[in-house]
Amino acid sequence: MRSVSARRLAGSVVLAAAAVAAAAVPAFAHVTVQPGTATQGSYTAVAFRVPDESDTASTTALEVDLPTDHPVASVSVQPVPGWTAAAERTKLATPLKTDDGDEITEAVTKITWTADATGKIGPGQFQEFKVSLGPLPTDTDKLVFKALQTYDDGTVVRWIEEGKEGQPEPQHPAPVLTLTKAGAGTSADAHGMAAPAAAPAAAPAHAGSDSTARILGVVGIVVGVAGAALGALGLRRRPSA
């Protein structure tokens, strides 16, 4: 009886480890904006990182909405081999004013990337779509970019859910760029790009790396418990002297 109970315990632990590993996989697959932070009022370049989540289908299109409540005056895209980018401009309800006193009445509010036959993102692959933005708004602490990811089997994944403080991360979170206030030690170059006045500090660790470390730590603990359970099972089954 003890042997049967031990086997059941070991089986339950192994199943729990598999469940933890399975739950950890989607955390790597979100569409995100990299890096995740930028300075208010600065110009910056970001990349929308798009992993392919499907086991059988390839990603053929990405549509990103830029926030209309905090529009960005200057938006340009970096070419991606195998992809065509189209920017959609919208008339602004409230024109933006430049440092020269001019008014900007239109801004890019949507960018759509479409793959040709050679540019698809296959299963187990990812692609980055780089965009230059600026000047970033100074009246908000974040920019939310809602995105749609289209697969060649017709599936559309809507990365549009906004997370709430104190709540679990939504299943399909929208990419978010956190905006921080300019520090006293920063200055701007000729293009308005924020730059440190002194030698730059070490770059912060990638948010995804931190998540990966936590997930792998949990999986390691569960696998360790599973190993201990299997070891105990082996000891129980050894004949006594």
Side-chain angles (χ1 to χ4, degrees), residues 23-228:
V25 171
F28 301 139
H30 297 345
V31 172
T32 58
V33 59
Q34 304 294 332
T37 60
T39 305
Q40 292 178 345
S42 71
Y43 284 72
T44 190
V46 300
F48 293 99
R49 182 173 297 170
V50 182
D52 189 279
E53 294 182 298
S54 175
D55 293 330
T56 58
S58 298
T59 299
T60 57
L62 174 69
E63 178 182 307
V64 175
D65 288 333
L66 280 65
T68 56
D69 54 346
H70 298 288
V72 179
S74 176
V75 178
S76 57
V77 299
Q78 178 172 301
V80 178
W83 292 78
T84 300
E88 181 178 315
R89 304 181 67 86
T90 301
K91 187 176 180 62
L92 301 177
T94 302
L96 296 173
K97 291 188 176 181
T98 67
D99 294 337
D100 298 330
D102 298 330
E103 287 190 347
I104 297 176
T105 59
E106 290 185 344
V108 174
T109 55
K110 180 183 295 185
I111 305 174
T112 303
W113 287 270
T114 306
D116 61 23
T118 66
K120 296 180 180 181
I121 308 172
Q125 300 177 343
F126 77 95
Q127 180 61 270
E128 290 188 336
F129 302 89
K130 295 184 179 180
V131 180
S132 174
L133 304 168
L136 298 176
T138 57
D139 56 350
T140 183
D141 59 0
K142 66 178 180 180
L143 292 178
V144 179
F145 302 94
K146 296 184 178 182
L148 301 182
Q149 180 180 7
T150 302
Y151 290 85
D152 58 9
D153 64 356
T155 302
V156 177
V157 181
R158 301 170 62 84
W159 302 97
I160 62 174
E161 300 173 6
E162 296 188 40
K164 296 182 179 180
E165 187 174 356
Q167 299 293 324
E169 184 182 51
Q171 184 176 3
H172 297 99
V176 176
L177 178 64
T178 300
L179 302 181
T180 59
K181 294 186 179 297
T186 61
S187 59
D189 62 17
H191 301 286
M193 185 75 74
H206 192 285
S209 298
D210 183 60
S211 298
T212 302
R214 290 198 299 269
I215 293 170
L216 291 179
V218 173
V219 174
I221 292 172
V222 175
V223 172
V225 173

